[in-house]
Amino acid sequence: MSKRVQAKHKLDRRMGQNIWGRPKSPVNRREYGPGQHGQRRKGKMSDFGTQLRAKQKLKGYYANITEKQFRRYYAEAIRLRGDSSENLIGLLERRLDAVVYRSKFVATPFAARQFVNHGHVRVNGQRVNIPSFLVKAGDVIEVKESSKQLEIVIVASQLAERDVPDYIEVDHGKMTARMTRIPSLSEVPYPVHMEPNLVIEFYSR
């Protein structure tokens, strides 16, 4: 498991957007960037800067995936048939920690990574503690029996700030979820606009 070395809200401030749609995000109060020069008017960003920003935002959204791992997703996305940017989103949404987060078993992508890593999740009856494990359509994800009454699980399932997307079927009574299909970009409920096409352009320079 890679260590997250920066506070998650720093990314919100740097991007000037509430990336996870959380009510406690500092961007809700201060839309400008951090630091003493944060309120200065910014000049027009270069194409490289725009692509880099899109990559940082998407990479950060999934609990700050490491650069090495994110580059592997890019390589797999361009190898697969079809639209590479759609393939990239499909791969990211298939991550086990992403499915756990989308299913509202925990409150944040960062909590989802830790939750999986600590062995609270089973896939098709088997314990899986690898957050980057790729779920297939039809796989059944379940919170293990001894973890179903954890406070973080109960609180997360009742959060009103986001809904479970249509491509995941969830039973919060049994704490089980099933990914019914690999989603397209338009189906993924990002709180902010994501541009995976710019990420593809960034790596293919």
Side-chain angles (χ1 to χ4, degrees):
M1 177 178 170
S2 59
K3 183 179 179 182
R4 177 169 52 85
V5 294
Q6 60 178 3
K8 55 183 175 291
H9 288 320
K10 283 185 179 180
L11 185 64
D12 275 4
R13 291 292 307 282
R14 191 163 70 241
M15 297 295 161
Q17 293 178 296
N18 187 351
I19 292 175
W20 297 280
R22 298 288 287 166
K24 291 185 179 180
S25 172
V27 175
N28 296 338
R29 300 185 302 276
R30 302 184 296 272
E31 293 185 356
Y32 50 87
Q36 62 177 327
H37 304 301
Q39 297 185 63
R40 287 186 178 179
R41 181 180 294 178
K42 295 173 182 166
K44 184 179 178 181
M45 193 174 290
S46 66
D47 289 344
F48 174 81
T50 303
Q51 294 165 0
L52 177 62
R53 194 180 187 86
K55 185 204 75 164
Q56 289 174 326
K57 187 164 63 171
L58 188 62
K59 185 161 73 87
Y61 178 85
Y62 290 93
N64 252 352
I65 297 173
T66 63
E67 179 63 25
K68 183 178 180 180
Q69 195 170 54
F70 201 65
R71 187 177 283 275
R72 283 205 300 266
Y73 287 127
Y74 158 75
E76 179 65 10
I78 61 173
R79 188 188 68 80
L80 295 171
R81 288 184 177 182
D83 186 294
S84 296
S85 58
E86 291 283 353
N87 292 341
L88 178 61
I89 295 301
L91 289 166
L92 292 170
E93 283 295 303
R94 286 176 57 198
R95 285 176 58 97
L96 180 56
D97 57 355
V99 178
V100 167
Y101 169 65
R102 295 286 181 220
S103 302
K104 293 178 68 174
F105 292 154
V106 290
T108 70
F110 299 93
R113 177 185 290 182
Q114 189 176 53
F115 194 69
V116 174
N117 192 257
H118 287 181
H120 296 293
V121 177
R122 296 181 182 276
V123 179
N124 298 329
Q126 300 296 314
R127 179 176 176 269
V128 179
N129 63 355
I130 302 171
S132 60
F133 175 87
L134 291 182
V135 173
K136 299 188 293 294
D139 283 352
V140 176
I141 294 86
E142 178 183 15
V143 176
K144 74 175 185 178
E145 194 63 38
S146 61
S147 304
K148 290 180 180 179
Q149 296 305 314
L150 290 174
E151 184 180 0
I152 60 168
V153 175
I154 295 171
V155 170
S157 66
Q158 298 171 352
L159 284 175
E161 64 193 51
R162 61 188 174 90
D163 297 319
V164 177
D166 292 340
Y167 52 89
I168 295 178
E169 293 179 350
V170 177
D171 183 336
H172 282 127
K174 297 180 180 178
M175 286 297 170
T176 61
R178 186 171 70 91
M179 177 176 269
T180 59
R181 65 182 183 279
I182 308 304
S184 62
L185 173 61
S186 61
E187 294 179 292
V188 180
Y190 294 119
V192 296
H193 180 54
M194 293 293 184
E195 299 169 293
N197 58 308
L198 295 182
V199 179
I200 300 296
E201 290 176 12
F202 175 85
Y203 283 120
S204 61
R205 296 188 323 277

